[in-house]
Each structure stands twice: as C-alpha cells, then as structure tokens.
Amino acid sequence: MKPDVILAGAGLANGLIALALTEARPDARILMLDRAAGPSQTHTWSFHDPDLSAAWHRRLAPAIRCRWQGQDVRFPDHARTLRTGYASLDSARLARQLADAPGICLRWNAEITGLDAQGVTLGAERIGAACVIDGRGAASSRHLATGYQKFVGIELETSAPHGVMRPMIMDATVPQMDGYRFVYLLPFSPTRLLIEDTRYSDGACLNEEAVARDITQYARQKGWSGHEARRERGVLPIALAHDAEAFWAESRDGPVPVGMRAGLFHPVTGYSLPIAAQVADVVAAAGPTTPEAFEAVRSYALARADEDRFLRLLSRMLFRGAAPAERYRVISRFYRLPEPLIERFYAGRLTRMDRMRIIIGKPPIPVRDALSCLREAPLLKDRS
Ligand SMILES: Cc1cc2nc3c(=O)[nH]c(=O)nc-3n(C[C@H](O)[C@H](O)[C@H](O)COP(=O)(O)OP(=O)(O)OC[C@H]3O[C@@H](n4cnc5c(N)ncnc54)[C@H](O)[C@@H]3O)c2cc1C
C-alpha cells in the first residue's frame, strides 16, 4: 500500500513526528524506514519537565523509563538542588510505542540510498509518498559552525545501593580536561546508575576507552562497584554560528529536513528533544505534502534560529571567550541564577529580562574576550 508520509530514519525527531501525526491525522499511512537492525540500546533521551507541553507529557508517557522530582548540580565553588522534575525515555520503549500505534509501519534493516521530495530509494526499491521527511540524524553543514559536547555513559548495576537519589545534571568538581568537564548521573533504580562523563571541547575526537577509565575512577572514588550493563556515547554539535536562511535555501525542493540534520537542537546543550516535540506539532498541523510540510518547518526553524541568537552567543562565550580550563566558571555562575530562568534556558524560552540577567553583573569572562565573541558571521565565513 502506498504510504502518505515517509519518515526517513526512525530516531527521535521522526519518532515524535509519527506520534503527533497519528493523533492529528488518524487515517494517514506512515512508513518509517531505518537502516538499523532494531531499536538502539544506546540511547536515553532526557528532558526537564517544563521543556514539554502537557500534550507531550501525555503522548510520551508510555516511553518514559524513569521520572524524578528535583535535580542536583555541583561546582567547585557551590552546589545546589533544584526542584525541577526530570525524566528519561529510552529508544526501545519509544520504538515499541511506535510499533503498536495504528497507521505506522516501522521497517528496520532499510538502508535508504536516495531520497527526494517525492519518495525514497532502497537499493532497487523505490517508494513514493506525498510527503517525505528526512530525519536521518546529524549531518555537517557549512552554514552551521559548531563546538562539541562529547560524552561516554556507562550504566552500572552496582553491587550495593549507590545512594544517589536524584539526577546529578552536572558534577563539575572533577578535574577539568579537554574543555569543560562534568559528570552526569541518572539513578534508574537503587542499584542502577548511569554515569556519564561529558566534555565541552573544541575537537570532535572522542577517546572512548580513556573516558571510560575516567568514569571507572570516578565510580571508585564514590565507592561504587558493580558490572557494566550498558554503554552510550555521543559527539553532539554545540552551535556557535548559524545561517539558517542559507541552510534552508540550499535544502529547498528536497525532502523536509528535521532533527539534528536540520540544526534543530539547543545551541548550548546539543539536546534536541524539546525542539523535536515542537517540530512534530508543526508537521502534524501542516498540509499533507512535502512542499507544505517543508514551508511549515522552514518557518519554524527560521524563527527558532532568530530566537536562538542569544544562546549561540553564550556558546561562543563558552568556546571562544573562555580558556578551556576556565569554561566551568561560566556554567557555575549561570547556575546561581533563579530557577525559573534556568528552566526557561533549557526549554529555549528565555525572556529579554532573562538575557539581561545572564549577561549583566560580574561577567563570567573578561569583557575584552566577550566583545570578540559578539559576531557570528566571521565563524561562518571561515567555513565557506
Ligand atoms: C547517546 C546520546 C544521548 C543523548 N541524550 C539526549 C538527551 O538526553 N536529551 C536530548 O534532548 N538529546 C539527547 N541527545 C541528542 C539528540 O537529541 C539525539 O542525538 C537525537 O537522537 C537526535 O535525533 P534525530 O532524530 O535527529 O537523529 P537520530 O535519533 O540519531 O535518528 C536518526 C536515525 O536515522 C537512521 N538513519 C541514518 N541514515 C540512514 C539511512 N541512510 N537509511 C535509513 N536510516 C538511516 C539512523 O539509524 C537513526 O536511527 C543524545 C544523543 C546521543 C548520541
């Protein structure tokens, strides 16, 4: 049966689009294609409660692995517990939810060799559809200059209760190396703990075994032992400069790019779940053809890119204005700000007043260095 919508890639962005589409257009036939053999075991997607609308909290409930009330951060000069709730989905649960949803056909082992606005090619097979959406994951673009957030996460089944009660969003009391370094902890059960070692670095190279050794050392210092149950890794882009107009002009007449591929992620954290939920709503509300969905997502993305100018400035201050070993100071200072502002930062909804509060007062980096970060155009010129 010919599908109405083809979702190229069955990752986070297209997963959320499929969920939104089945609700908005229950009669639509949705075909999801992914090259992987099945759902990845190497992905947990986390978010802060205020990142998502009530509708998305409801929609994603079946895919949630764990929810927590509150979260901690720790820096060399202060520590803080925040009240904001936090939650994690995992890719296996999301894939099960998609497979059970009416109207969605999810095909694994489906390597897409070509795609355009009218359909996809899988080797010798051609499948056409009125709407084709490209969510095949991150791709570099000359219209986006980035730094990197690199991490390795080891999920440990501890031999005794680990005692961590809430997510530790950042433990930056660890030795600083390869840029801003912190450890992130998610306690999935009293004896199950994800320990993730993250670095905000200039280069994309990730030495997984060396980072894994640093995690083992951190665990030893905390008195945790046990066996490794699962591992995840990532090198996420952090947006320093973006020319969204040029990006979307180049993609015109093709399928609709979404997710990391379309630069639709938080410029400072590299996380994409909250934006992916908003884009899914945009696609679900758009007309049923590729050009209509393209125009709707493009308008959203241009407005988002404009709104995110300030966040990209913060990324530049972090990467270009602060020496790698001093980057933690910028984040530490940020975490002294009021909690509602921190929530709006993660959700990508900073107000004008929030921006002023982040910038004014004792500057986190010398004024001269901050001034040199103001313009994004020079970073893009280097790439053309
Ligand atoms: C380990 C890890 C943890 C992360 N944790 C978080 C988090 O907690 N919160 C958050 O908001 N963000 C998180 N991120 C960042 C970001 O949200 C994710 O990278 C997210 O998965 C991006 O969604 P996406 O749909 O753009 O790409 P993906 O989820 O990567 O999906 C792309 C899909 O396309 C498929 N594909 C690629 N090429 C082809 C092809 N030729 N044919 C067929 N299929 C193809 C891939 O197999 C993949 O399944 C994390 C990233 C990583 C790597």
Tab-separated table of all heavy atoms in Angstrom, residues 60-114:
chain	number	residue	atom	x	y	z
A	60	LEU	N	4.136	10.970	25.496
A	60	LEU	CA	5.390	10.226	25.699
A	60	LEU	C	5.354	9.320	26.929
A	60	LEU	O	6.314	8.569	27.157
A	60	LEU	CB	6.572	11.211	25.808
A	60	LEU	CG	6.930	11.904	24.493
A	60	LEU	CD1	8.032	12.929	24.701
A	60	LEU	CD2	7.372	10.884	23.437
A	61	ALA	N	4.255	9.365	27.672
A	61	ALA	CA	4.206	8.587	28.927
A	61	ALA	C	4.595	7.109	28.731
A	61	ALA	O	5.375	6.563	29.532
A	61	ALA	CB	2.832	8.727	29.578
A	62	PRO	N	4.116	6.428	27.664
A	62	PRO	CA	4.475	5.008	27.532
A	62	PRO	C	5.980	4.770	27.295
A	62	PRO	O	6.474	3.669	27.527
A	62	PRO	CB	3.675	4.542	26.309
A	62	PRO	CG	2.590	5.560	26.129
A	62	PRO	CD	3.157	6.864	26.630
A	63	ALA	N	6.683	5.790	26.828
A	63	ALA	CA	8.113	5.602	26.517
A	63	ALA	C	9.032	6.014	27.665
A	63	ALA	O	10.249	5.860	27.587
A	63	ALA	CB	8.474	6.404	25.259
A	64	ILE	N	8.439	6.535	28.747
A	64	ILE	CA	9.271	7.032	29.862
A	64	ILE	C	9.848	5.854	30.648
A	64	ILE	O	9.129	4.953	31.059
A	64	ILE	CB	8.436	7.916	30.817
A	64	ILE	CG1	7.882	9.151	30.093
A	64	ILE	CG2	9.246	8.326	32.052
A	64	ILE	CD1	8.846	10.246	29.806
A	65	ARG	N	11.127	5.891	30.848
A	65	ARG	CA	11.768	4.858	31.659
A	65	ARG	C	11.786	5.244	33.133
A	65	ARG	O	11.648	4.411	34.009
A	65	ARG	CB	13.204	4.647	31.154
A	65	ARG	CG	13.952	3.619	31.965
A	65	ARG	CD	15.321	3.359	31.390
A	65	ARG	NE	16.056	2.427	32.234
A	65	ARG	CZ	17.338	2.216	32.160
A	65	ARG	NH1	18.059	2.864	31.254
A	65	ARG	NH2	17.936	1.369	32.957
A	66	CYS	N	11.997	6.528	33.402
A	66	CYS	CA	12.109	6.969	34.788
A	66	CYS	C	11.781	8.459	34.895
A	66	CYS	O	12.072	9.218	33.968
A	66	CYS	CB	13.549	6.723	35.253
A	66	CYS	SG	13.681	6.430	36.995
A	67	ARG	N	11.172	8.820	36.024
A	67	ARG	CA	10.903	10.235	36.326
A	67	ARG	C	11.470	10.537	37.692
A	67	ARG	O	11.439	9.672	38.574
A	67	ARG	CB	9.395	10.487	36.435
A	67	ARG	CG	8.664	10.562	35.158
A	67	ARG	CD	7.199	10.945	35.432
A	67	ARG	NE	6.423	10.866	34.212
A	67	ARG	CZ	6.467	11.803	33.266
A	67	ARG	NH1	7.208	12.883	33.421
A	67	ARG	NH2	5.758	11.674	32.165
A	68	TRP	N	11.924	11.761	37.882
A	68	TRP	CA	12.468	12.162	39.183
A	68	TRP	C	11.913	13.519	39.569
A	68	TRP	O	11.661	14.355	38.699
A	68	TRP	CB	13.986	12.276	39.129
A	68	TRP	CG	14.710	11.036	38.740
A	68	TRP	CD1	15.162	10.052	39.579
A	68	TRP	CD2	15.119	10.635	37.406
A	68	TRP	NE1	15.814	9.074	38.854
A	68	TRP	CE2	15.795	9.409	37.522
A	68	TRP	CE3	14.966	11.189	36.134
A	68	TRP	CZ2	16.325	8.722	36.432
A	68	TRP	CZ3	15.486	10.519	35.040
A	68	TRP	CH2	16.152	9.300	35.203
A	69	GLN	N	11.798	13.743	40.859
A	69	GLN	CA	11.464	15.069	41.365
A	69	GLN	C	12.766	15.723	41.791
A	69	GLN	O	13.441	15.201	42.682
A	69	GLN	CB	10.525	14.961	42.575
A	69	GLN	CG	9.055	14.918	42.204
A	69	GLN	CD	8.685	15.962	41.137
A	69	GLN	OE1	9.056	17.115	41.271
A	69	GLN	NE2	7.987	15.527	40.095
A	70	GLY	N	13.151	16.809	41.182
A	70	GLY	CA	14.355	17.520	41.602
A	70	GLY	C	15.612	17.024	40.902
A	70	GLY	O	15.620	15.978	40.238
A	71	GLN	N	16.639	17.812	41.018
A	71	GLN	CA	17.928	17.526	40.372
A	71	GLN	C	19.016	18.320	41.088
A	71	GLN	O	18.731	19.332	41.717
A	71	GLN	CB	17.875	17.906	38.898
A	71	GLN	CG	17.222	19.260	38.632
A	71	GLN	CD	17.123	19.588	37.153
A	71	GLN	OE1	18.090	20.079	36.600
A	71	GLN	NE2	15.974	19.331	36.540
A	72	ASP	N	20.243	17.841	40.993
A	72	ASP	CA	21.366	18.498	41.655
A	72	ASP	C	22.388	18.998	40.643
A	72	ASP	O	22.490	18.458	39.529
A	72	ASP	CB	22.087	17.511	42.590
A	72	ASP	CG	21.221	17.106	43.766
A	72	ASP	OD1	20.599	17.995	44.363
A	72	ASP	OD2	21.156	15.902	44.063
A	73	VAL	N	23.153	20.008	41.051
A	73	VAL	CA	24.365	20.406	40.314
A	73	VAL	C	25.446	20.662	41.362
A	73	VAL	O	25.136	21.013	42.509
A	73	VAL	CB	24.178	21.683	39.449
A	73	VAL	CG1	23.284	21.429	38.256
A	73	VAL	CG2	23.647	22.851	40.269
A	74	ARG	N	26.697	20.485	40.968
A	74	ARG	CA	27.797	20.718	41.914
A	74	ARG	C	28.988	21.307	41.166
A	74	ARG	O	29.370	20.810	40.091
A	74	ARG	CB	28.198	19.378	42.539
A	74	ARG	CG	29.060	19.547	43.782
A	74	ARG	CD	29.442	18.202	44.373
A	74	ARG	NE	28.303	17.394	44.775
A	74	ARG	CZ	28.262	16.071	44.682
A	74	ARG	NH1	29.270	15.409	44.184
A	74	ARG	NH2	27.208	15.402	45.085
A	75	PHE	N	29.519	22.402	41.700
A	75	PHE	CA	30.684	23.075	41.115
A	75	PHE	C	31.732	23.235	42.208
A	75	PHE	O	31.413	23.097	43.392
A	75	PHE	CB	30.265	24.446	40.561
A	75	PHE	CG	29.268	24.331	39.448
A	75	PHE	CD1	27.897	24.392	39.699
A	75	PHE	CD2	29.691	24.117	38.146
A	75	PHE	CE1	26.981	24.239	38.679
A	75	PHE	CE2	28.772	23.967	37.117
A	75	PHE	CZ	27.417	24.031	37.389
A	76	PRO	N	32.956	23.584	41.849
A	76	PRO	CA	33.986	23.727	42.891
A	76	PRO	C	33.592	24.768	43.934
A	76	PRO	O	33.928	24.637	45.099
A	76	PRO	CB	35.230	24.170	42.114
A	76	PRO	CG	35.017	23.672	40.732
A	76	PRO	CD	33.538	23.700	40.496
A	77	ASP	N	32.821	25.815	43.511
A	77	ASP	CA	32.525	26.902	44.455
A	77	ASP	C	31.106	26.892	44.992
A	77	ASP	O	30.763	27.721	45.821
A	77	ASP	CB	32.834	28.260	43.798
A	77	ASP	CG	32.107	28.434	42.471
A	77	ASP	OD1	31.564	27.428	41.958
A	77	ASP	OD2	32.061	29.557	41.959
A	78	HIS	N	30.239	26.026	44.511
A	78	HIS	CA	28.898	25.915	45.113
A	78	HIS	C	28.179	24.668	44.598
A	78	HIS	O	28.542	24.090	43.572
A	78	HIS	CB	28.052	27.170	44.873
A	78	HIS	CG	27.518	27.315	43.474
A	78	HIS	ND1	26.192	27.273	43.161
A	78	HIS	CD2	28.153	27.501	42.291
A	78	HIS	CE1	26.019	27.445	41.872
A	78	HIS	NE2	27.192	27.582	41.322
A	79	ALA	N	27.135	24.285	45.363
A	79	ALA	CA	26.291	23.152	44.967
A	79	ALA	C	24.855	23.584	45.166
A	79	ALA	O	24.571	24.500	45.947
A	79	ALA	CB	26.604	21.939	45.819
A	80	ARG	N	23.940	22.938	44.435
A	80	ARG	CA	22.550	23.388	44.508
A	80	ARG	C	21.609	22.236	44.161
A	80	ARG	O	21.901	21.430	43.274
A	80	ARG	CB	22.382	24.523	43.486
A	80	ARG	CG	21.046	25.199	43.530
A	80	ARG	CD	21.097	26.449	42.660
A	80	ARG	NE	19.798	27.076	42.604
A	80	ARG	CZ	19.492	28.068	41.777
A	80	ARG	NH1	20.407	28.548	40.951
A	80	ARG	NH2	18.288	28.596	41.770
A	81	THR	N	20.476	22.183	44.855
A	81	THR	CA	19.404	21.262	44.476
A	81	THR	C	18.284	22.092	43.874
A	81	THR	O	17.849	23.074	44.476
A	81	THR	CB	18.889	20.493	45.709
A	81	THR	OG1	19.976	19.734	46.241
A	81	THR	CG2	17.747	19.551	45.344
A	82	LEU	N	17.853	21.709	42.680
A	82	LEU	CA	16.757	22.416	42.025
A	82	LEU	C	15.504	21.545	42.102
A	82	LEU	O	15.600	20.324	42.112
A	82	LEU	CB	17.120	22.714	40.566
A	82	LEU	CG	18.352	23.621	40.433
A	82	LEU	CD1	19.495	22.874	39.785
A	82	LEU	CD2	18.045	24.873	39.645
A	83	ARG	N	14.357	22.209	42.124
A	83	ARG	CA	13.107	21.459	42.291
A	83	ARG	C	12.611	20.849	40.975
A	83	ARG	O	11.780	19.943	40.977
A	83	ARG	CB	12.014	22.397	42.830
A	83	ARG	CG	12.189	22.786	44.286
A	83	ARG	CD	10.957	23.511	44.774
A	83	ARG	NE	10.626	24.635	43.897
A	83	ARG	CZ	11.092	25.873	44.080
A	83	ARG	NH1	11.889	26.137	45.090
A	83	ARG	NH2	10.760	26.847	43.250
A	84	THR	N	13.097	21.364	39.854
A	84	THR	CA	12.568	20.960	38.543
A	84	THR	C	12.604	19.450	38.344
A	84	THR	O	13.638	18.816	38.541
A	84	THR	CB	13.409	21.633	37.430
A	84	THR	OG1	13.590	22.994	37.764
A	84	THR	CG2	12.747	21.502	36.090
A	85	GLY	N	11.482	18.899	37.901
A	85	GLY	CA	11.429	17.470	37.614
A	85	GLY	C	12.222	17.124	36.362
A	85	GLY	O	12.490	17.992	35.512
A	86	TYR	N	12.580	15.860	36.245
A	86	TYR	CA	13.415	15.397	35.134
A	86	TYR	C	12.899	14.019	34.728
A	86	TYR	O	12.346	13.295	35.570
A	86	TYR	CB	14.863	15.307	35.635
A	86	TYR	CG	15.921	15.347	34.558
A	86	TYR	CD1	16.139	16.497	33.817
A	86	TYR	CD2	16.733	14.243	34.305
A	86	TYR	CE1	17.128	16.552	32.843
A	86	TYR	CE2	17.724	14.284	33.338
A	86	TYR	CZ	17.917	15.447	32.607
A	86	TYR	OH	18.900	15.499	31.645
A	87	ALA	N	13.052	13.654	33.474
A	87	ALA	CA	12.561	12.342	33.029
A	87	ALA	C	13.415	11.836	31.880
A	87	ALA	O	14.057	12.619	31.176
A	87	ALA	CB	11.102	12.464	32.591
A	88	SER	N	13.428	10.517	31.712
A	88	SER	CA	14.172	9.898	30.602
A	88	SER	C	13.288	8.923	29.839
A	88	SER	O	12.588	8.112	30.454
A	88	SER	CB	15.347	9.080	31.131
A	88	SER	OG	16.353	9.897	31.600
A	89	LEU	N	13.370	9.002	28.524
A	89	LEU	CA	12.746	7.985	27.662
A	89	LEU	C	13.850	7.057	27.225
A	89	LEU	O	15.007	7.435	27.234
A	89	LEU	CB	12.249	8.543	26.343
A	89	LEU	CG	11.704	9.886	26.051
A	89	LEU	CD1	11.472	9.934	24.554
A	89	LEU	CD2	10.420	10.012	26.805
A	90	ASP	N	13.494	5.895	26.727
A	90	ASP	CA	14.549	5.178	26.011
A	90	ASP	C	14.054	4.728	24.654
A	90	ASP	O	12.859	4.649	24.392
A	90	ASP	CB	15.218	4.092	26.846
A	90	ASP	CG	14.327	2.920	27.126
A	90	ASP	OD1	13.468	2.652	26.288
A	90	ASP	OD2	14.511	2.298	28.178
A	91	SER	N	15.048	4.483	23.788
A	91	SER	CA	14.707	4.238	22.385
A	91	SER	C	13.908	2.951	22.224
A	91	SER	O	13.036	2.876	21.352
A	91	SER	CB	15.963	4.225	21.527
A	91	SER	OG	17.010	3.591	22.194
A	92	ALA	N	14.162	1.934	23.061
A	92	ALA	CA	13.429	0.669	22.916
A	92	ALA	C	11.946	0.882	23.242
A	92	ALA	O	11.066	0.404	22.517
A	92	ALA	CB	14.032	-0.389	23.833
A	93	ARG	N	11.676	1.627	24.314
A	93	ARG	CA	10.262	1.882	24.673
A	93	ARG	C	9.571	2.728	23.601
A	93	ARG	O	8.414	2.495	23.258
A	93	ARG	CB	10.173	2.588	26.030
A	93	ARG	CG	10.394	1.659	27.214
A	93	ARG	CD	10.348	2.450	28.522
A	93	ARG	NE	10.448	1.602	29.687
A	93	ARG	CZ	11.587	1.094	30.175
A	93	ARG	NH1	12.727	1.356	29.571
A	93	ARG	NH2	11.586	0.324	31.254
A	94	LEU	N	10.297	3.734	23.086
A	94	LEU	CA	9.691	4.579	22.043
A	94	LEU	C	9.391	3.738	20.803
A	94	LEU	O	8.314	3.857	20.205
A	94	LEU	CB	10.631	5.748	21.698
A	94	LEU	CG	10.116	6.713	20.627
A	94	LEU	CD1	8.812	7.389	21.062
A	94	LEU	CD2	11.158	7.798	20.309
A	95	ALA	N	10.311	2.858	20.446
A	95	ALA	CA	10.100	2.015	19.252
A	95	ALA	C	8.904	1.093	19.453
A	95	ALA	O	8.115	0.871	18.518
A	95	ALA	CB	11.360	1.205	18.968
A	96	ARG	N	8.750	0.564	20.673
A	96	ARG	CA	7.584	-0.309	20.956
A	96	ARG	C	6.288	0.486	20.808
A	96	ARG	O	5.316	0.011	20.233
A	96	ARG	CB	7.698	-0.856	22.386
A	96	ARG	CG	7.943	-2.360	22.394
A	96	ARG	CD	7.753	-3.048	23.709
A	96	ARG	NE	8.072	-2.336	24.917
A	96	ARG	CZ	9.268	-2.346	25.514
A	96	ARG	NH1	10.282	-2.981	24.952
A	96	ARG	NH2	9.466	-1.700	26.646
A	97	GLN	N	6.311	1.701	21.314
A	97	GLN	CA	5.109	2.551	21.230
A	97	GLN	C	4.750	2.815	19.757
A	97	GLN	O	3.584	2.771	19.374
A	97	GLN	CB	5.381	3.871	21.972
A	97	GLN	CG	4.156	4.719	22.174
A	97	GLN	CD	4.474	6.041	22.889
A	97	GLN	OE1	5.572	6.231	23.423
A	97	GLN	NE2	3.527	6.955	22.887
A	98	LEU	N	5.782	3.069	18.945
A	98	LEU	CA	5.545	3.343	17.527
A	98	LEU	C	5.015	2.095	16.824
A	98	LEU	O	4.087	2.159	16.006
A	98	LEU	CB	6.842	3.807	16.854
A	98	LEU	CG	7.366	5.178	17.299
A	98	LEU	CD1	8.792	5.405	16.824
A	98	LEU	CD2	6.448	6.299	16.795
A	99	ALA	N	5.611	0.939	17.156
A	99	ALA	CA	5.200	-0.305	16.500
A	99	ALA	C	3.745	-0.632	16.833
A	99	ALA	O	3.026	-1.209	16.017
A	99	ALA	CB	6.126	-1.446	16.926
A	100	ASP	N	3.286	-0.253	18.034
A	100	ASP	CA	1.908	-0.557	18.457
A	100	ASP	C	0.890	0.453	17.931
A	100	ASP	O	-0.312	0.216	18.012
A	100	ASP	CB	1.809	-0.552	20.001
A	100	ASP	CG	2.564	-1.725	20.619
A	100	ASP	OD1	2.892	-2.661	19.860
A	100	ASP	OD2	2.826	-1.691	21.834
A	101	ALA	N	1.382	1.599	17.444
A	101	ALA	CA	0.438	2.671	17.060
A	101	ALA	C	-0.225	2.327	15.726
A	101	ALA	O	0.443	1.879	14.785
A	101	ALA	CB	1.186	3.994	16.955
A	102	PRO	N	-1.551	2.552	15.617
A	102	PRO	CA	-2.222	2.269	14.341
A	102	PRO	C	-1.732	3.259	13.276
A	102	PRO	O	-1.443	4.409	13.584
A	102	PRO	CB	-3.708	2.492	14.664
A	102	PRO	CG	-3.722	3.338	15.899
A	102	PRO	CD	-2.448	3.088	16.643
A	103	GLY	N	-1.593	2.767	12.067
A	103	GLY	CA	-1.232	3.657	10.958
A	103	GLY	C	0.262	3.789	10.735
A	103	GLY	O	0.697	4.361	9.741
A	104	ILE	N	1.075	3.252	11.665
A	104	ILE	CA	2.536	3.367	11.478
A	104	ILE	C	3.101	2.002	11.087
A	104	ILE	O	2.859	1.002	11.756
A	104	ILE	CB	3.233	3.835	12.774
A	104	ILE	CG1	2.706	5.202	13.214
A	104	ILE	CG2	4.751	3.872	12.592
A	104	ILE	CD1	3.295	5.703	14.525
A	105	CYS	N	3.848	1.996	9.985
A	105	CYS	CA	4.567	0.774	9.610
A	105	CYS	C	6.057	1.079	9.791
A	105	CYS	O	6.600	1.991	9.159
A	105	CYS	CB	4.249	0.427	8.163
A	105	CYS	SG	5.283	-0.874	7.537
A	106	LEU	N	6.697	0.370	10.694
A	106	LEU	CA	8.105	0.641	11.039
A	106	LEU	C	8.968	-0.478	10.471
A	106	LEU	O	8.825	-1.636	10.854
A	106	LEU	CB	8.195	0.713	12.572
A	106	LEU	CG	9.532	0.927	13.242
A	106	LEU	CD1	10.272	2.106	12.647
A	106	LEU	CD2	9.311	1.185	14.743
A	107	ARG	N	9.847	-0.119	9.525
A	107	ARG	CA	10.682	-1.138	8.861
A	107	ARG	C	12.133	-0.945	9.244
A	107	ARG	O	12.726	0.094	8.945
A	107	ARG	CB	10.546	-0.960	7.338
A	107	ARG	CG	10.025	-2.188	6.630
A	107	ARG	CD	9.759	-1.873	5.184
A	107	ARG	NE	10.899	-2.216	4.345
A	107	ARG	CZ	10.935	-2.029	3.038
A	107	ARG	NH1	9.906	-1.493	2.405
A	107	ARG	NH2	12.002	-2.358	2.340
A	108	TRP	N	12.725	-1.934	9.914
A	108	TRP	CA	14.154	-1.903	10.223
A	108	TRP	C	14.933	-2.520	9.067
A	108	TRP	O	14.340	-3.060	8.134
A	108	TRP	CB	14.430	-2.671	11.532
A	108	TRP	CG	13.687	-2.105	12.709
A	108	TRP	CD1	12.595	-2.631	13.327
A	108	TRP	CD2	13.987	-0.875	13.418
A	108	TRP	NE1	12.183	-1.820	14.374
A	108	TRP	CE2	13.010	-0.743	14.453
A	108	TRP	CE3	14.960	0.115	13.285
A	108	TRP	CZ2	12.997	0.338	15.337
A	108	TRP	CZ3	14.942	1.185	14.167
A	108	TRP	CH2	13.971	1.291	15.182
A	109	ASN	N	16.262	-2.497	9.158
A	109	ASN	CA	17.132	-3.035	8.092
A	109	ASN	C	16.790	-2.408	6.747
A	109	ASN	O	16.805	-3.085	5.726
A	109	ASN	CB	16.981	-4.563	7.978
A	109	ASN	CG	17.554	-5.255	9.188
A	109	ASN	OD1	18.720	-5.038	9.548
A	109	ASN	ND2	16.752	-6.070	9.855
A	110	ALA	N	16.410	-1.150	6.739
A	110	ALA	CA	16.004	-0.484	5.497
A	110	ALA	C	16.967	0.673	5.227
A	110	ALA	O	16.751	1.797	5.685
A	110	ALA	CB	14.575	0.016	5.625
A	111	GLU	N	18.036	0.362	4.510
A	111	GLU	CA	19.056	1.384	4.204
A	111	GLU	C	18.557	2.262	3.061
A	111	GLU	O	18.330	1.780	1.948
A	111	GLU	CB	20.365	0.678	3.815
A	111	GLU	CG	21.461	1.596	3.306
A	111	GLU	CD	22.269	2.222	4.444
A	111	GLU	OE1	22.530	1.527	5.438
A	111	GLU	OE2	22.634	3.409	4.302
A	112	ILE	N	18.385	3.531	3.331
A	112	ILE	CA	17.923	4.457	2.292
A	112	ILE	C	19.138	4.894	1.481
A	112	ILE	O	20.103	5.421	2.027
A	112	ILE	CB	17.223	5.673	2.931
A	112	ILE	CG1	15.951	5.202	3.651
A	112	ILE	CG2	16.889	6.739	1.901
A	112	ILE	CD1	15.365	6.226	4.597
A	113	THR	N	19.070	4.655	0.172
A	113	THR	CA	20.220	5.007	-0.666
A	113	THR	C	19.987	6.328	-1.412
A	113	THR	O	20.916	6.928	-1.923
A	113	THR	CB	20.524	3.871	-1.661
A	113	THR	OG1	19.296	3.493	-2.296
A	113	THR	CG2	21.107	2.664	-0.945
A	114	GLY	N	18.747	6.759	-1.465
A	114	GLY	CA	18.458	8.051	-2.082
A	114	GLY	C	17.091	8.542	-1.636
A	114	GLY	O	16.233	7.730	-1.291
